[in-house]
């Protein structure tokens, strides 16, 4: 079994203002669409991270997969669609059945099961989504999109 290189994105809570731009940039990047294009096409975009906001004390931070070295989600996936590829934990979204086992075992709450609609067929299905460190991109969209450098 391949192990991860344990690379991850860490948010500086002192700099994060909770604007959710990292979420938006993540979603735009994974779908290859702008907000306007998605709205026009009626496509709901899902990010692979989420901003957590606390009121007291007022703090915000982006939460995403920590690319655990011995990842419980990889071990727990009944179909083996969560796997380590080139040191990064990825979900084979085409084969995921959205059972939610990975969500239950993730120690940081970084996996979400979302009801995603196939733009070609119009059919929706549940799939697990998590940060893949923008696997096929030169830089992580959340980092590039954060104007506060959090």
């Amino acid at each position: 079994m391949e192990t991860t290189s344990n690379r991850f994105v860490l948010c500086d809570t002192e700099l994060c203002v909770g604007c959710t731009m990292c979420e938006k940039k993540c979603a735009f990047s994974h779908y290859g669409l702008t907000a306007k294009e998605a709205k026009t096409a009626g496509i709901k975009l899902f990010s692979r991270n989420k901003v957590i906001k606390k009121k007291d004390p007022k703090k915000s931070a982006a939460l995403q997969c920590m690319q655990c070295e011995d990842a419980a989600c990889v071990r727990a996936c009944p179909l083996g669609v969560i796997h380590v590829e080139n040191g990064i934990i990825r979900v084979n979204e085409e084969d995921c059945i959205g059972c939610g086992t990975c969500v239950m075992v993730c120690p940081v709450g970084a996996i979400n099961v979302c009801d995603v609609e196939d733009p070609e067929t119009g059919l929706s299905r549940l799939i697990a989504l998590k940060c893949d460190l923008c696997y096929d991109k030169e830089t992580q969209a959340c980092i590039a999109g954060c104007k506060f450098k959090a």
Side-chain angles (χ1 to χ4, degrees):
M1 177 177 170
E2 185 180 350
T3 60
T4 70
S5 57
N6 212 20
R7 295 179 295 147
F8 53 88
V9 175
L10 188 61
C11 179
D12 185 337
T13 60
E14 297 298 320
L15 299 175
C16 182
V17 298
C19 69
T20 71
M21 187 54 72
C22 58
E23 289 182 12
K24 294 175 181 86
K25 293 294 186 176
C26 174
F28 300 156
S29 173
H30 277 83
Y31 288 87
L33 298 170
T34 65
K36 186 176 182 178
E37 291 168 335
K39 187 174 183 175
T40 301
I43 299 170
K44 184 174 182 185
L45 304 180
F46 294 94
S47 70
R48 273 69 174 163
N49 63 349
K50 60 185 168 190
V51 173
I52 307 297
K53 298 179 185 182
K54 291 185 82 173
K55 292 180 183 171
D56 188 34
K58 191 172 182 180
K59 294 278 184 184
S60 300
L63 170 70
Q64 51 221 47
C65 178
M66 299 304 285
Q67 303 292 327
C68 300
E69 213 165 288
D70 185 23
C73 60
V74 173
R75 291 190 322 269
C77 181
L79 298 180
V81 300
I82 301 178
H83 61 283
V84 180
E85 186 176 330
N86 295 327
I88 297 171
I89 299 170
R90 300 192 63 206
V91 176
N92 178 346
E93 295 175 11
E94 293 78 32
D95 295 331
C96 180
I97 59 170
C99 68
T101 304
C102 54
V103 175
M104 291 186 280
V105 299
C106 178
V108 294
I111 304 175
N112 293 303
V113 172
C114 301
D115 192 3
V116 177
E117 184 177 312
D118 183 324
E120 293 178 16
T121 65
L123 300 174
S124 66
R125 65 188 187 90
L126 296 174
I127 60 171
L129 297 177
K130 60 168 280 318
C131 176
D132 61 5
L133 294 173
C134 292
Y135 181 80
D136 57 349
K137 313 275 189 294
E138 282 196 33
T139 187
Q140 288 79 27
C142 59
I143 293 173
C146 181
K147 67 181 180 180
F148 298 98
K149 306 294 181 210

